[in-house]
């Protein structure tokens, strides 16, 4: 019998995680099955219990369940506890263990796949929701010069900056409104808002992209996202979407579950080719 894993979400039909984990399993010779499971919004805990009863060994968790997953865990990794959200579950001896691999996935994509060091950089993080919260500690660990969190509701950005202040030794960490960005420049601008999902453009003041800057949208799709279009027209030198982050957070989860780190470049290239073919 192969070991059973899944990704829970709602909606979930278009998830790329089953294909990613099937590729990792084939590459590493691990005997596992990985399925997409639709959970009802009001019965996520019951879906976890049923999956454990079925023999499930672990699961990924995506929108809208990451915060519910955090609340369900019996044990949390430090990074999941800090993020207040869980995207990776492991079922061990009747206990639910939770981790959050999103931040590690983002940093690995930027550093390894895009070849961009974050040390000493001025980083702008747009958004103050679950995705943003999950990446702040791993970004701070890279020792940037500054991390500014900007959000439509500025109080949430300020609260996040305050919540992570103890990890920010040597980093200028602050939060506020989009309007406060006027007159500032950043080397790396990361969009962790859901604005691209609804096709909305962000009210970013002109001139925030420093020469040579990287614009990174956590969202991905077959075409350019509205944020990356804006970034390109405002002078960002490099643009990247979140497909690499998706693959890298999956690799981190797979490593946790199976004790083997899969190679990601080939998997990312295949997914990219499949997305382009759709366009
Ligand atoms: P949340 O719902 O937790 O947070 C949404 C954030 O977006 C909030 O800061 C919200 O601001 C802001 N926002 C929403 N709509 C708009 C808008 N029209 N204009 C400006 N700001 C807006 O979502 P998540 O944090 O979980 O996810 C954010 C994005 O990151 C999604 O696109 C998701 O797909 C992507 N993601 C990608 C991953 C990957 O592996 N590539 C992993 C995780 C997430 P406010 O507080 O004012 O409401």
């Amino acid at each position: 019998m192969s070991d059973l894993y899944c990704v829970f979400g709602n909606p979930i039909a278009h998830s790329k995680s089953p294909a990613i984990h099937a590729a990792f399993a084939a590459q590493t010779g691990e005997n596992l099955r990985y399925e997409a499971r639709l959970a009802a919004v009001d019965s996520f805990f019951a879906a976890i219990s049923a999956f454990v009863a079925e023999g499930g060994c672990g699961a990924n968790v995506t929108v809208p369940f990451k915060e519910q997953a955090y609340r369900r865990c019996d044990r949390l990794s430090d990074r999941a506890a800090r993020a207040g959200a869980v995207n990776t579950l492991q079922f061990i001896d009747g206990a639910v263990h939770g981790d959050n691999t999103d931040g590690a996935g983002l940093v690995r994509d930027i550093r390894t796949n895009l070849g961009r060091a974050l040390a000493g950089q001025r980083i702008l993080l747009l958004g103050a929701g679950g995705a943003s919260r999950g990446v702040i500690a791993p970004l701070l660990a890279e020792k940037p010069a500054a991390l500014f969190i900007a959000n439509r509701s500025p109080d949430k950005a300020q609260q996040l900056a305050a919540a992570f202040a103890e990890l920010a030794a040597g980093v200028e960490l602050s939060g506020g409104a989009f309007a406060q960005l006027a007159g500032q420049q950043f080397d790396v601008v990361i969009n962790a808002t859901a604005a691209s999902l609804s096709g909305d453009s962000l009210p970013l003041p002109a001139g925030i992209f420093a020469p040579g800057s990287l614009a990174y949208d956590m969202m991905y799709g077959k075409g350019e996202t509205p944020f990356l279009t804006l970034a390109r027209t405002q002078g960002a030198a490099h643009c990247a979407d979140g497909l690499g982050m998706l693959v890298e957070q999956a690799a981190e989860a797979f490593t946790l579950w199976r004790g083997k780190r899969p190679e990601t470049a080939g998997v990312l290239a295949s997914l990219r080719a499949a997305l382009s073919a759709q366009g």
Side-chain angles (χ1 to χ4, degrees):
M1 279 290 282
S2 50
D3 292 340
L4 177 62
Y5 296 84
C6 79
V7 56
F8 286 113
N10 189 332
I12 200 63
H14 294 98
S15 171
K16 301 188 186 318
S17 293
I20 294 171
H21 283 277
F24 289 165
Q27 182 202 115
T28 56
E30 291 292 293
N31 184 16
L32 61 86
R33 277 180 299 143
Y34 185 109
E35 300 172 357
R37 295 282 175 106
L38 180 73
V41 173
D42 57 357
S43 59
F44 174 62
F45 287 8
I48 291 183
S49 301
F51 188 65
V52 172
E54 213 183 305
C57 302
N60 285 130
V61 180
T62 187
V63 180
F65 297 122
K66 289 183 187 179
E67 281 160 26
Q68 284 193 55
Y70 166 81
R71 290 198 293 277
R72 173 62 187 82
C73 287
D74 303 304
R75 296 184 65 171
L76 291 165
S77 66
D78 284 351
R79 58 190 182 181
R82 283 216 176 84
V86 158
N87 79 333
T88 303
L89 298 171
Q90 232 179 336
F91 309 119
I92 304 172
D93 297 332
V96 180
H97 293 232
D99 196 0
N100 189 317
T101 66
D102 280 339
L106 171 72
V107 168
R108 205 176 169 90
D109 190 36
I110 294 178
R111 244 187 16 197
T112 308
N113 299 339
L114 302 174
R116 178 126 196 166
L118 293 169
Q121 300 276 286
R122 286 180 55 77
I123 302 177
L124 170 61
L125 181 61
L126 302 167
S132 181
R133 201 180 172 92
V135 303
I136 293 171
L139 287 174
L140 290 172
E142 296 298 302
K143 297 287 172 211
L147 176 60
F148 189 90
I149 306 163
N151 195 44
R152 179 175 62 179
S153 316
D155 53 319
K156 285 198 211 164
Q158 286 157 355
Q159 283 160 18
L160 270 191
F164 286 86
E166 63 174 11
L167 299 181
V171 183
E172 190 191 313
L173 173 64
S174 51
F178 294 129
Q180 282 172 254
L181 302 172
Q184 299 197 58
Q185 284 210 318
F186 298 90
D187 306 302
V188 178
V189 180
I190 300 166
N191 179 27
T193 73
S196 286
L197 278 179
S198 46
D200 292 338
S201 208
L202 293 168
L204 299 179
I208 62 166
F209 292 94
S213 59
L214 167 69
Y216 190 102
D217 197 342
M218 286 193 190
M219 202 188 127
Y220 52 84
K222 58 184 175 198
E224 188 173 59
T225 67
F227 167 70
L228 291 179
T229 303
L230 177 95
R232 188 170 44 76
T233 53
Q234 288 198 8
H238 309 280
C239 290
D241 70 12
L243 196 64
M245 175 179 175
L246 178 78
V247 173
E248 296 297 343
Q249 63 76 29
E252 194 79 10
F254 188 94
T255 307
L256 186 80
W257 291 330
R258 310 304 294 187
K260 287 184 184 172
R261 179 167 282 280
E263 182 277 332
T264 51
V267 178
L268 179 53
S270 309
L271 279 181
R272 180 69 68 201
L275 260 188
S276 303
Q278 282 173 25

